[in-house]
Amino acid sequence: MTRATTMHEVHSEYVQVGTLQMYCETQGHGPPLLLLHAGFATIETSFEKLRPVLAKRWTTIAVEQQGHGHTADIDRALTYEQMVKDTAALLRKKKITGASVFGWSDGGIVALGLAARHPKIVHKVATIGSGYNSEAETPEFKQRLAEMKPDNEHTLPFRDAYREVAPRPEEWPLLVEKVKAMYAGFKGWSEAEMRSLKAPLMVMLGDEDFLRPEHALELFRMVPSGTLAILPGSDHSAPVTRTDWVTAMLVDFFDAP
């Protein structure tokens, strides 16, 4: 299916990845740029503001992971490792290699795993609001997420967006529980994987995010080719609230030789 936007048409499709029918949107022209959404989110809620600018320079490929947005859930656990496998399989089916990758929050965790475990697919990678292991977030955030209910006020915008596009809108509570379990069960990508990362990495973080700046600094120093960007006066929603800053840094990073 194709729909028009102000600059470029968006082509949407489902790609069969094992037993998962994975939703994917392509927009723009140029080298491939993979966009990986935040947890609970959709393509639209994550990249509505960013994507039109990026699509002027790149062919943006945005996917929705298992149970998120248009991609229906299936009878298996939701894990970061599985999302990496699903995303890599989708890119191979579309014959995409050497892609730049940008991931926000959970999408950034997937981006790191993709770069570490499928280096031929990834050219450069940028993350924002993401860590590489379970030590990234503050204890307060971990407790808040563990106690989160499906009707939590902070997730209401995500819930409403989910219900607009999900094949089974009534499964929102199931998605919340699966994301919580995924986060609680994630031990992290290993230091060895991060230290051997082939792709240049830009680590982005708002200085008011719930991730620890020390963790971002540690990751930046760990990888062979790292760039660090701390956004002042910015929280976890920076791709939406600081779109101009984030876009400018992504363009500069991905355009550099």
Side-chain angles (χ1 to χ4, degrees):
M1 182 175 69
T2 301
R3 68 177 187 274
T5 65
T6 53
M7 291 297 297
H8 300 283
E9 289 184 339
V10 176
H11 174 70
S12 61
E13 61 180 326
Y14 283 91
V15 178
Q16 191 70 41
V17 177
T19 57
L20 182 71
Q21 280 210 328
M22 197 170 184
Y23 181 76
C24 175
E25 291 186 356
T26 304
Q27 182 184 23
H29 301 285
L33 171 57
L34 176 67
L35 302 176
L36 298 171
H37 62 74
F40 305 117
T42 64
I43 294 170
E44 194 74 7
T45 54
S46 291
F47 303 119
E48 179 183 11
K49 295 182 178 181
L50 277 171
R51 188 166 58 161
V53 179
L54 298 174
K56 295 176 184 179
R57 293 171 176 262
W58 292 277
T59 299
T60 62
I61 305 105
V63 301
E64 287 177 339
Q65 302 287 352
Q66 175 188 333
H68 288 76
H70 298 75
T71 302
D73 196 14
I74 57 177
D75 186 18
R76 70 178 184 192
L78 188 64
T79 68
Y80 294 109
E81 293 84 355
Q82 186 62 56
M83 289 197 285
V84 168
K85 291 177 183 178
D86 292 341
T87 305
L90 179 141
L91 292 177
R92 289 195 178 101
K93 276 208 165 185
K94 293 179 69 65
K95 296 181 169 52
I96 294 171
T97 59
S100 296
V101 182
F102 173 56
W104 174 17
S105 192
D106 279 358
I109 298 175
V110 176
L112 290 172
L114 193 68
R117 300 185 175 189
H118 302 275
K120 291 182 179 179
I121 291 178
V122 178
H123 172 57
K124 290 184 177 182
V125 59
T127 67
I128 187 164
S130 310
Y132 75 94
N133 66 20
S134 59
E135 301 302 313
E137 295 84 9
T138 63
E140 293 79 11
F141 170 78
K142 293 178 182 180
Q143 183 66 26
R144 192 165 75 244
L145 182 63
E147 297 173 353
M148 180 181 289
K149 303 298 182 186
D151 58 354
N152 181 283
E153 61 177 326
H154 299 294
T155 64
L156 290 184
F158 298 110
R159 183 202 66 185
D160 293 344
Y162 172 89
R163 287 179 173 175
E164 284 184 12
V165 300
R168 298 188 291 270
E170 69 278 5
E171 291 189 352
W172 170 253
L174 177 61
L175 175 62
V176 172
E177 293 307 312
K178 279 197 167 185
V179 170
K180 288 165 60 177
M182 174 177 70
Y183 174 81
F186 182 59
K187 303 305 180 186
W189 311 124
S190 71
E191 287 193 18
E193 286 178 309
M194 296 299 98
R195 292 187 187 280
S196 63
L197 212 63
K198 298 284 193 298
L201 169 67
M202 179 164 65
V203 181
M204 307 169 71
L205 184 70
D207 63 355
E208 298 175 4
D209 205 320
F210 51 72
L211 278 83
R212 300 184 302 108
E214 296 85 356
H215 184 88
L217 182 61
E218 175 187 316
L219 177 58
F220 152 68
R221 287 176 170 168
M222 186 182 300
V223 299
S225 179
T227 300
L228 178 66
I230 303 294
L231 283 64
S234 304
D235 60 18
H236 198 64
S237 62
V240 174
T241 58
R242 302 290 192 182
T243 306
D244 290 347
W245 288 1
V246 173
T247 304
M249 285 185 279
L250 289 176
V251 169
D252 185 68
F253 175 68
F254 288 135
D255 259 356

